[in-house]
């Protein structure tokens, strides 16, 4: 296969994976399970064991589980190039897909970007020179803004989940939102928040067709709206993804060239550690495995010295880890 043909095939698979992620996230986020508890948890201090006791029962690590992390990156001005280990991209959207290859099932963990957890600090060569407790979204600001940064977020997610390894990842920058949004003809939503003073065309309760930067502003903006919590923004992202999913299906049904054209349009905004074959395998799993739903970590929002901080509940983390990564030990 020629280099041009190989790239075209790769882009097609990358887009299909992204589209599957949109589909699964959009439909199942409609469940809206935003439950909260109020206990503090300092994550990243426990390593995942091959076996342990939980609530009086013994469990062993499920060796058939595989994970795939999807990151939505907010790319700010001043982002560095490949040679500068430090960048301005934060992971505002984090979704970890958990595949059970034995049972042929898939679950997803939607992680709050404000989650306070241990993240690695990287040196100029990308090596680990220390760590600190901060919002998990900031883990991506360490590294080159591409593969090294994605891996650093994956390590932070691993620490949050008691040491469970994140196997693979894919990131998509926010710049892909207006590009893809306009290719489907815009996305219609009923405005959920008060954007007065930020964008007076976004009036709470009114229905608008989001186009271009308008769409990006709706899913990105947090500070300055009436409710500046990340929970509020996640609700808007959920709403937007649901509408985007419907418009995407319409475009695919109308135009058989849409996938190829969209692939080329957003390819520069995607980073992944997977080869063409491996992306194809992930696509097949997303489309054929039974989806068990989206899970959330309960916890408490607090106002820190600068930002809102989300402290995960220890019992919620343990229950999630046991349920998705362990199986009962046979006596």
């Amino acid at each position: 296969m020629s280099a041009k043909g190989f790239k075209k095939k790769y882009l097609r698979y990358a887009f299909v994976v992204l589209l599957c992620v949109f589909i699964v996230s959009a439909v199942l986020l409609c469940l809206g399970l935003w439950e909260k508890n109020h206990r503090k948890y300092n994550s990243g201090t426990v390593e995942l064991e091959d076996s342990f006791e939980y609530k009086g029962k013994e469990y062993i690590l499920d060796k058939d589980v595989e994970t795939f992390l999807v990151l939505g990156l907010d790319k700010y001005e001043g982002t560095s190039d490949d040679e500068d280990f430090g960048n301005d991209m934060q992971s505002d959207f984090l979704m970890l897909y958990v595949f059970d290859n034995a049972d042929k099932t898939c679950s997803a963990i939607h992680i709050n970007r404000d989650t306070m957890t241990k993240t690695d600090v990287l040196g100029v060569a990308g090596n680990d020179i220390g760590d600190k407790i901060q919002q998990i979204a900031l883990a991506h600001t360490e590294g080159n803004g591409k593969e090294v940064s994605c891996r650093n977020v994956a390590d932070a997610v691993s620490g949050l989940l008691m040491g469970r390894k994140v196997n693979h990842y894919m990131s998509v920058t926010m710049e892909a939102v207006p590009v893809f949004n306009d290719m489907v003809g815009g996305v219609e939503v009923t405005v959920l928040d008060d954007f007065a003073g930020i964008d007076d065309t976004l009036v709470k309760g009114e229905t608008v067709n989001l186009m271009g930067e308008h769409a990006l502003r709706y899913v990105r903006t947090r500070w300055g709206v009436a409710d500046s919590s990340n929970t509020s923004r996640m609700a808007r992202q959920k709403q937007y993804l649901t509408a985007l999913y419907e418009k995407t299906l319409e475009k695919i049904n109308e135009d058989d060239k849409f996938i190829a054209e969209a692939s080329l349009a957003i390819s520069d905004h995607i980073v992944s550690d997977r080869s063409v074959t491996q992306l194809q395998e992930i696509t097949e799993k997303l489309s054929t495995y039974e989806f068990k739903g989206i899970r959330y970590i309960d916890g408490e929002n607090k106002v820190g010295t600068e930002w809102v901080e989300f402290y995960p509940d220890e019992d919620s983390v343990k229950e999630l880890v046991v349920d998705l990564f362990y199986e009962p030990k046979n006596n």
Side-chain angles (χ1 to χ4, degrees), residues 48-52 59-67 98-105 164-165 167 321-329:
L48 203 58
E49 303 290 344
D50 285 342
S51 65
F52 76 108
Y59 294 85
I60 58 174
L61 193 63
D62 189 342
K63 305 294 186 180
D64 295 309
V65 171
E66 178 185 18
T67 54
V98 182
F99 299 101
D100 189 320
N101 294 319
D103 294 341
K104 307 298 182 185
T105 60
R164 184 61 176 108
K165 180 178 176 58
N167 301 112
V321 169
V322 169
D323 193 26
L324 297 182
F325 300 108
Y326 282 86
E327 54 188 356
K329 183 177 181 179

Side-chain angles (χ1 to χ4, degrees), residues 240-256:
Y240 175 81
L241 285 171
T242 303
L244 178 63
Y245 160 68
E246 296 292 344
K247 291 298 293 287
T248 301
L249 288 185
E250 290 177 10
K251 288 296 294 183
I252 292 175
N253 291 330
E254 294 172 0
D255 185 1
D256 57 5

Side-chain angles (χ1 to χ4, degrees), residues 197-236:
I198 302 171
D199 188 335
D200 293 335
T201 66
L202 294 174
V203 179
K204 186 175 182 179
E206 291 191 359
T207 299
V208 298
N209 188 57
L210 300 173
M211 292 293 294
E213 293 299 317
H214 214 204
L216 183 57
R217 189 174 302 118
Y218 188 72
V219 298
R220 168 192 269 177
T221 304
R222 179 177 178 183
W223 306 114
V225 298
D227 183 352
S228 61
S229 70
N230 191 50
T231 301
S232 175
R233 180 169 60 178
M234 288 170 74
R236 271 185 275 126

Side-chain angles (χ1 to χ4, degrees), residues 85-106:
F85 280 79
N87 68 89
D88 297 325
M89 288 190 290
Q90 301 179 14
S91 47
D92 276 351
F93 176 84
L94 301 93
M95 184 81 82
L96 182 70
Y97 287 86
V98 182
F99 299 101
D100 189 320
N101 294 319
D103 294 341
K104 307 298 182 185
T105 60
C106 173

